[in-house]
Amino acid sequence: MAAPDPLNRQQRELVRNIIQKGGVIAYPTEAVWGLGCDPWNSEAVRRILELKSRPVHKGLILVAASIEQVRFLLTPLPEELQQQALSHWPGPVTCLIPDINRQTPDWVRGSHNSIAVRVSEHPVVKALCDSAGMPLVSTSCNPAGQEPARDAAQVRCYFNNQLDYIVPGELGGNHKPSRIIDIVSGKQLR
């Protein structure tokens, strides 16, 4: 029996419209609340960076509902690197993937040659990315120097009316943000 959809049709349409219009949302992930937007919309990403007081050079994570949503990043890679990434997904592991053809914007990639990508199993994250029809920016929901939000009340405390939507839902069962693995070196960075 399939799990119930975490978002109803109206919520999915609302999220899709907000993302398409360059909005910023907050949503539960595997361990902490995240901020998200269309990664190809520079103004939306700029808003997130300003909300967090995060410098653009650090880069951001892309989160996807399925491997198909990030296939464009995997296809240019040698088979062994593709398999390295695929061995971690779906799940709470973020892989640093060389962006060989520079298919992701500088404002998401930062000063790096790789892009951080996670294919999530979290039902809300999957529903959001499916509704948007693309991977989304995923960064912890907190101003720089503060602990990431662990509930919607903390999201509101941090950002009050500065977000376009706070997606209802619960955190997954993880207590720490996703591990980050460099698929080229195999090293765990977080």
Side-chain angles (χ1 to χ4, degrees):
M1 182 174 189
D5 195 333
L7 301 179
N8 64 39
R9 198 177 104 225
Q10 291 169 322
Q11 290 168 321
R12 283 177 171 268
E13 288 176 14
L14 176 63
V15 166
R16 182 175 35 256
N17 289 334
I18 288 169
I19 297 297
Q20 287 176 349
K21 292 177 181 173
V24 173
I25 60 172
Y27 55 93
T29 72
E30 294 87 347
V32 299
W33 278 71
L35 293 174
C37 69
D38 174 351
W40 286 273
N41 184 313
S42 63
E43 287 302 308
V45 173
R46 182 190 54 75
R47 275 186 62 202
I48 285 179
L49 294 172
E50 287 176 1
L51 285 168
K52 289 181 60 80
S53 297
R54 181 181 177 89
V56 69
H57 76 270
K58 285 188 169 187
L60 296 163
I61 293 173
L62 291 183
V63 67
S66 67
I67 290 163
E68 289 311 310
Q69 286 189 333
V70 294
R71 180 78 62 199
F72 71 100
L73 290 165
L74 297 174
T75 300
L77 300 177
E79 182 66 26
E80 62 272 10
L81 290 183
Q82 291 183 42
Q83 291 306 314
Q84 177 67 10
L86 294 173
S87 72
H88 296 289
W89 297 334
V93 177
T94 298
C95 293
L96 291 182
I97 297 174
D99 190 359
I100 293 172
N101 295 332
R102 299 187 81 68
Q103 298 178 85
T104 56
D106 293 343
W107 54 80
V108 176
R109 199 174 50 254
S111 62
H112 310 284
N113 293 321
S114 294
I115 183 75
V117 179
R118 183 170 78 252
V119 177
S120 181
E121 287 181 300
H122 190 281
V124 173
V125 174
K126 288 176 60 107
L128 292 172
C129 294
D130 280 340
S131 297
M134 70 176 100
L136 298 174
V137 163
S138 184
T139 184
S140 60
C141 185
N142 59 292
Q146 301 290 321
E147 287 295 313
R150 296 213 178 251
D151 56 43
Q154 187 67 50
V155 172
R156 284 188 285 280
C157 181
Y158 282 153
F159 299 116
N160 200 11
N161 296 321
Q162 299 176 75
L163 302 174
D164 297 296
Y165 188 53
I166 299 174
V167 179
E170 302 294 325
L171 294 178
N174 294 12
H175 299 288
K176 294 182 179 179
S178 63
R179 290 184 298 142
I180 298 178
I181 307 284
D182 182 330
I183 66 166
V184 173
S185 71
K187 291 182 181 174
Q188 181 171 321
L189 305 176
R190 175 175 80 186

